[in-house]
Each structure stands twice: as structure tokens, then as C-alpha cells.
Amino acid sequence: MFAKLYLLYGFMVLGGIATAQYRGWSLDRISQVKNVPRSIRDNPGAYRSIYSSYHHYTGGK
Amino acid sequence: MGAGQPPIPPQPPRPPQPPGPPAGPAKPQVKSLNCPQCGAAITLRSFQQAVTVVCESCHSILDAKDPNLTVLQQFKAATGELKPMIPLGTRGKLRGTDYEVIGFQRRTIFSDGEQFDWHEYLLFNPYKGFRYLSEYQGHWNDISVCKSEPGIEHRIVDRANYLGEYYRHFQTAEATTSFVLGEFPWQVRVGDPVIVMDFVKPPHILSYEKDKQSGEVTWSVGEYLYGKEVWQAFKLQGQPPEPIGVFENQPSPNTVNLKQLWGRFLLLCACLLGLLVMSDLFSSNKVVFSATYQLASGAPKGEASFVTDVFELKGRESNVEILTEANVANNWIYLNYALIDQDTGRAWDFGREVSYYSGSDSDGSWTEGGRNDKVIVPSVPPGHYYLRIEPEADARHPAISYKVEVHRDVAVFGFYGWGLLILFVPVALLTFKAISFERARWAESDHPILKSESD
């Protein structure tokens, strides 16, 4: 019984993966912004990235 | 024997030659006698079957076949030293047959200087004969004498063959009877040593017993019982004692067929691999944009951000992969990206860093980071897009060249890694649970699965 349930569970996982692949989902976290003005093409500096205050790693060993 | 848990005593030592059921139908008979030693009343419940009977008052073992009840042995025991959980004379229906409890004994083994006891109840039915209930720390077994003699096969771990079933050797020990009450169809003696060997095939157990003095051998077979079954059978008051630890023939709580489960796991892995190959084959992975840029050395002069040419994303809503390759060496470049839909103004905003460091120290040469990066933007509808790129780097950086490449509809291999993990976890947990149980079972046997450091 459990083996059957596991098989069902497994096929649901496979189905989920196939759906994710087909729908073009991603594991990366990407932010969405709506209504970016068309003027960005002429003035790219007018747009401020969400990540512009990112703390950069400047390390090395 | 392992440390910590007490060893499981061998189960179940049997009478050397227990008699079979009476030849013809017999009525239950009860006869009252008096102990020749102390005069206390003695009840014979199996009457003709009894070979020895024990006086509860003075603990004399008497010859039940002798009309004068000759004293065979007298053992020292405090009055009320041990009270059977199922009182003598209790009647009950065990697996469809009525039985009466007529005898009780405590068996003892010594291991690593410690004493371990278990208890046996002798049950009698005038038509069916005798059977036994053994109890150790809340674990019960329903035991009867074997119908034929099992064979022992000597291997790395010995096994016994009984009626076509193989039982694995569990333990060999020397046991003695240390306390008796009631009557017995054999010459019971306190202190007589026997060699016992147990073979198990849960929920069954096969026990060999050899009398060290007479050399007589008896085989018996038992099946694990839960305390509540015994309590129901004999309609006992209260609750049975909670079982402690894992008994040698206790059925595993794991009811899943692990072999079958692992088979299903492998089948699903094959399907997962097939899905991965299919998605790689059918993903277009088309390069829709590629360009190389240069970030001039030093602090930026003026606005650093810029936009790319417009490129078209075709097909259904799908993902977009952006690859960045930079010739950094002991420095970094950070790129603020925005993938912008020219027509709708919808944007996907993300930042990526490419950094690569290398050097050498007392441990030798080392590297850290890499010169490539990739990110997958999910569910991007078809349309006309461009990238807004804003590069950043250390103020004293040299000139950095970097390449940006955009791919449409790529296979996301991370899904398959996660999928494999999600498929593996339940199988691994169940396997671990089953192995843990078996390890606990065999820990106190002569063949522990993993020996403890103290062994």
C-alpha cells in the first residue's frame, strides 16, 4: 500500500517538475517591477535597481 | 553482550520431554492433596499429566506421580517472592482454545555478572495438551513444542530450518530455573542448568534446549504476542506492563516492503532522468542576445548604467537565462540587471556578482569564486525586451571586460536535483527507521549489527 502511495507521490513530484520546466519557473529569486517608464531607454540612470545597495564581497582568502 | 541494555534472555527453555495431548477425550480434572512436608493444600489441575507439583507454602517440589507425593526438592524462596501476572488456575481462550494456567516458573541467565530473568506460564487443555507463554520485560511469546526436529545449518551466522522456514541464530546461553509454582508435566528442578539457543524469524522464534545433565534436547517454536492479547485472552484486570526495548522476535513496526520501495525509487529516478533528458532535448536554449562590454578602470566618470539593443523572446511563456562572463582576477564586478519588456514596462530586476580570487599561502595555491555566472529569470512572456545594465566595481579596479549572453527556454537542472532529494527523503527515513529497529533487536544478540565501543 505504502509503495503504491509512494509511487503516486513520486509521479506527483515528477509532474511538478515537468510543469515547472514547461512553465519556465526558476529556482533563482528575481524581483519584478511594473510600469517601468519608456524613458529608461533614453535615460538609463533614471532607473534605480532594487539591488544597487548590495554589499559587495571584496574578500579572497 | 552490549552495554546499556540488558541482554535478552534466550527463549523459551522447554521441558525435556513434554507429553502430547491425551490419547482420548478427557474431562478436566482437579484433585486436592496435602503437602507431606508442611501439610498445605495442593491442587492438581492437570491431574494425570502432572509429573511434579510445587507446594506454594513450603516450596517443596513433589513427585505428582507418587501417591505419597515424595519430596523431590525444596528450594528457598520468600513467601510471595514472585507473584505471577496470570494467577495459577486462571482460565482463558488463547487463539480459539481454552487453556488453564497450571504452572509458572522463572528462568535465569547470568551475563557480564548480571542476572536476567524471564517468566514462563504453563497452559493446559485436556484435549490440546500443553503450551507456554513466556514474558520478558513486557514482551510475550506463545510457545509450543515443535512437531518435527529442526535442522541447524552452520554458516557465518548459523541458521535453523523448521518446516521449510529459516530462522537466524540469535543467542546461545546457559539458563537455570530459579523459581517454580504449580505443576509441570516434567521433572522440574530449581538450579538445573540447560543450554539454550534461540533462532529468530520475526514474529517467530525457534528455541533449542539441551539439558546439561541428561543431554536431552527439546525444540520449541513461538510467536510474539502483545501484552494486550494476553490480557484479553485471560480477562486480566488492569493494563499489561509496557514492553521495554526491542525483543528478539518482536515484529518490526515498519510494515513497508523496503525492497519494493527502493525498486519504486529507482523506477522514479529513471523517470526523472528521462524527464531531464527530454527537457534538455526539447528546451530551445536559443541565444537571443550576446554582447561584450568594457568597464573602464578606476571610478566611473558619469553615468555607468546603459541599455542593450532590443531583442525578441519568442514562443510560449518560458524562462530566460542570463550568462555573465568577466575577466576578473583578484577583483570583482557587480552588475545590476533589469530585463525590461519594452511594450508593457514590466521589468525583472536582479543583481549578479562575478568575482575571482587566487593566490598561494602555506597550504599551497588556492582559488575562490569564478569568472562566470548565470541566472534564470522565470516565466517571461514572449515580446520585445532589452537589458538595463549598471556595472559596479572596486574604485581602483583595472579595466574589466565582460560578456552578457541571453538564452531563451533553458532546462533548469536544479529542479531535478531537488526532485531527486524529495524522492529520496521518505525512502531514506523509512530505511533508517527499519535499520534502527533491527540494530536494536540484534544489539544484544551474539551477532550485533554494529558493536558498541565497550564490546
Side-chain angles (χ1 to χ4, degrees):
Chain A
M1 181 64 185
F2 186 86
K4 279 182 184 172
L5 282 175
Y6 174 71
L7 201 59
L8 182 68
Y9 161 82
F11 281 122
M12 284 172 68
V13 171
L14 294 181
I17 291 171
T19 304
Q21 183 65 68
Y22 182 80
R23 300 289 299 272
W25 297 349
S26 166
L27 295 170
D28 294 312
R29 292 179 65 187
I30 307 286
S31 301
Q32 279 198 44
V33 182
K34 288 181 179 172
N35 304 318
V36 173
R38 286 174 178 271
S39 60
I40 296 295
R41 273 205 70 73
D42 302 322
N43 183 15
Y47 179 87
R48 277 294 120 207
S49 168
I50 296 167
Y51 300 95
S52 58
S53 59
Y54 178 80
H55 177 73
H56 305 296
Y57 175 66
T58 56
K61 194 170 179 181
Chain B
M1 295 290 175
Q5 240 185 313
I8 295 169
Q11 294 287 315
R14 294 274 61 81
Q17 285 182 322
K27 290 179 181 176
Q29 297 180 67
V30 172
K31 185 177 180 181
S32 290
L33 302 165
N34 289 96
C35 173
Q37 192 76 353
C38 68
I42 293 170
T43 305
L44 277 183
R45 295 181 175 89
S46 67
F47 193 40
Q48 295 162 332
Q49 305 291 322
V51 174
T52 49
V53 62
V54 182
C55 172
E56 287 185 44
S57 178
C58 67
H59 300 119
S60 294
I61 300 174
L62 310 171
D63 185 350
K65 291 291 181 192
D66 182 348
N68 298 319
L69 292 177
T70 311
V71 177
L72 299 172
Q73 188 190 33
Q74 191 168 23
F75 65 96
K76 284 185 181 174
T79 304
E81 175 184 308
L82 187 58
K83 207 172 178 182
M85 282 188 273
I86 315 174
L88 297 187
T90 305
R91 291 184 179 181
K93 185 170 267 188
L94 189 66
R95 296 184 169 170
T97 303
D98 291 316
Y99 284 102
E100 183 175 1
V101 180
I102 63 165
F104 170 77
Q105 63 178 340
R106 179 177 66 200
R107 310 298 293 263
T108 301
I109 61 168
F110 287 91
S111 176
D112 298 334
E114 284 189 73
Q115 178 180 332
F116 300 97
D117 299 322
W118 74 100
H119 308 115
E120 290 185 10
Y121 297 82
L122 177 61
L123 311 182
F124 177 67
N125 174 294
Y127 302 101
K128 300 280 185 178
F130 297 95
R131 67 191 306 117
Y132 313 86
L133 281 178
S134 74
E135 183 272 332
Y136 175 72
Q137 294 192 336
H139 299 277
W140 294 79
N141 266 286
D142 172 23
I143 297 157
S144 55
V145 174
C146 288
K147 292 170 184 167
S148 61
E149 187 174 341
I152 296 178
E153 295 179 15
H154 298 287
R155 297 169 151 236
I156 296 171
V157 174
D158 290 351
R159 63 181 190 175
N161 182 350
Y162 178 59
L163 301 178
E165 299 281 349
Y166 285 101
Y167 295 71
R168 193 173 175 219
H169 178 258
F170 190 87
Q171 196 174 48
T172 300
E174 184 176 307
T176 55
T177 298
S178 55
F179 184 89
V180 284
L181 276 181
E183 61 199 89
F184 298 87
W186 70 91
Q187 290 275 358
V188 70
R189 293 283 193 284
V190 168
D192 282 358
V194 289
I195 298 294
V196 287
M197 277 195 289
D198 280 356
F199 299 82
V200 295
K201 185 178 190 290
H204 295 102
I205 185 168
L206 198 58
S207 286
Y208 162 99
E209 177 175 332
K210 184 178 183 181
D211 190 300
K212 281 188 85 175
Q213 289 169 344
S214 68
E216 286 177 350
V217 171
T218 306
W219 284 91
S220 54
V221 62
E223 185 176 355
Y224 189 87
L225 277 182
Y226 292 94
K228 62 182 179 185
E229 294 177 73
V230 177
W231 255 240
Q232 283 168 1
F234 290 94
K235 295 183 173 57
L236 299 174
Q237 298 293 315
Q239 297 295 317
E242 280 296 314
I244 299 169
V246 176
F247 195 63
E248 54 188 346
N249 65 327
Q250 183 177 345
S252 172
N254 172 44
T255 53
V256 178
N257 182 337
L258 286 177
K259 202 181 262 185
Q260 191 184 35
L261 196 63
W262 277 101
R264 297 277 157 92
F265 171 71
L266 291 176
L267 173 72
L268 288 167
C269 283
C271 293
L272 188 69
L273 183 66
L275 195 62
L276 187 149
V277 171
M278 293 268 284
S279 85
D280 197 36
L281 283 175
F282 289 101
S283 295
S284 59
N285 197 17
K286 187 179 177 186
V287 179
V288 292
F289 176 81
S290 181
T292 302
Y293 304 98
Q294 188 87 11
L295 179 64
S297 61
K301 297 176 181 71
E303 178 57 48
S305 62
F306 64 94
V307 292
T308 65
D309 292 337
V310 174
F311 50 88
E312 187 180 4
L313 297 178
K314 293 180 179 173
R316 66 176 199 282
E317 182 176 294
S318 181
N319 59 27
V320 169
E321 184 180 59
I322 292 156
L323 300 170
T324 309
E325 189 181 324
N327 67 340
V328 285
N330 284 325
N331 58 2
W332 55 270
I333 182 170
Y334 186 81
L335 298 152
N336 292 301
Y337 280 111
L339 175 68
I340 302 169
D341 186 332
Q342 180 181 246
D343 304 320
T344 64
R346 189 179 176 192
W348 286 262
D349 196 301
F350 50 95
R352 307 302 294 179
E353 182 179 284
V354 181
S355 62
Y356 179 77
Y357 297 89
S358 64
S360 62
D361 57 17
S362 56
D363 296 333
S365 59
W366 56 268
T367 63
E368 193 173 299
R371 294 191 170 99
N372 299 297
D373 174 77
K374 69 176 180 181
V375 61
I376 296 173
V377 183
S379 305
V380 182
H384 295 88
Y385 291 81
Y386 62 92
L387 283 170
R388 175 195 177 271
I389 304 171
E390 184 180 347
E392 293 176 40
D394 189 82
R396 293 155 297 171
H397 71 88
I400 298 171
S401 171
Y402 59 98
K403 181 182 176 187
V404 178
E405 201 166 275
V406 180
H407 293 240
R408 175 63 158 168
D409 188 26
V410 298
V412 182
F413 295 107
F415 289 150
Y416 301 90
W418 279 105
L420 185 65
L421 188 68
I422 293 167
L423 292 176
F424 177 70
V425 164
V427 184
L429 285 177
L430 283 169
T431 304
F432 176 76
K433 191 179 159 194
I435 288 174
S436 299
F437 187 87
E438 290 304 320
R439 191 184 164 199
R441 180 201 304 286
W442 289 94
E444 301 306 334
S445 75
D446 293 344
H447 321 282
I449 292 173
L450 285 173
K451 289 184 178 178
S452 66
E453 287 179 7
S454 58
D455 286 336

